[in-house]
Amino acid sequence: MIIRRAQASEIAACAALYERVLRETFTWTPPQQHQAADFLGHAQEEEVYLARDGDRLLGIAGFHRPGNFLHSLYVETRGEGVGKALLDHVAALADGPLSLKCQSPNLRALDFYLREGFRIVDIGRDPGAPFTWLRMSR
């Protein structure tokens, strides 16, 4: 597995993985709510990193460097160390504490981030959202 910054020609494949993973795993929200276009919009302001095994895209991470903010971390197959490898890569790039937001129903991600040393530093709710988010930092 290699971790590296995505090239412009790979961003569409990253956006497709984003949409696919969200639709499969974010069962508390309607699948149609998750669109590749959302990722593409954020990718214009973020650094996108990917994990590959040969030609196979395994996972992606969106990093907003000015805020040391991990905006997205999505993997195709969980439990194989891809998420940890992407997280470690982005954390090494940060010039201070790394932060992120995790939706409260996303228990699997919450457990992962807690295991990786993140702590909850704030709880909030977006307008109209039926659930809270947790801001985490490490």
Side-chain angles (χ1 to χ4, degrees), residues 2-7 10-11 14 39 46-52 57 59-65 70 72-74 85-87 89-90 93:
I2 62 161
I3 308 285
R4 63 171 172 76
R5 190 158 181 185
Q7 299 172 5
E10 298 169 309
I11 296 297
C14 293
F39 181 86
E46 298 174 351
E47 299 171 16
V48 177
Y49 293 89
L50 55 77
R52 281 197 169 279
L57 180 60
I60 57 169
F63 178 53
H64 188 255
R65 188 180 293 266
L70 178 65
S72 57
L73 177 65
Y74 299 103
L86 281 163
L87 177 62
H89 187 86
V90 170
L93 298 171

Side-chain angles (χ1 to χ4, degrees), residues 14-15 17-19 21-22 26 38-40 42-43 46-50 59-64 68-75 83 86-87 90 98-102 106 109 112-113:
C14 293
L17 182 143
Y18 165 89
E19 181 178 292
V21 170
L22 281 171
F26 280 45
D38 296 332
F39 181 86
L40 293 171
H42 293 295
E46 298 174 351
E47 299 171 16
V48 177
Y49 293 89
L50 55 77
I60 57 169
F63 178 53
H64 188 255
N68 287 327
F69 185 71
L70 178 65
H71 184 247
S72 57
L73 177 65
Y74 299 103
V75 299
L86 281 163
L87 177 62
V90 170
L98 186 63
S99 68
L100 59 92
K101 283 167 80 174
C102 182
N106 196 349
F112 168 75
Y113 292 124

Side-chain angles (χ1 to χ4, degrees), residues 78-134:
R78 284 153 296 287
E80 296 181 5
V82 176
K84 179 169 175 31
L86 281 163
L87 177 62
D88 290 347
H89 187 86
V90 170
L93 298 171
D95 62 3
L98 186 63
S99 68
L100 59 92
K101 283 167 80 174
C102 182
Q103 294 179 0
S104 58
N106 196 349
L107 299 179
R108 190 171 188 158
L110 178 59
D111 287 345
F112 168 75
Y113 292 124
L114 290 171
R115 274 193 322 271
E116 292 302 315
F118 283 83
R119 295 294 167 247
I120 298 168
V121 296
D122 192 18
I123 300 172
R125 183 184 306 264
D126 293 329
F131 48 81
T132 58
W133 49 257
L134 309 167

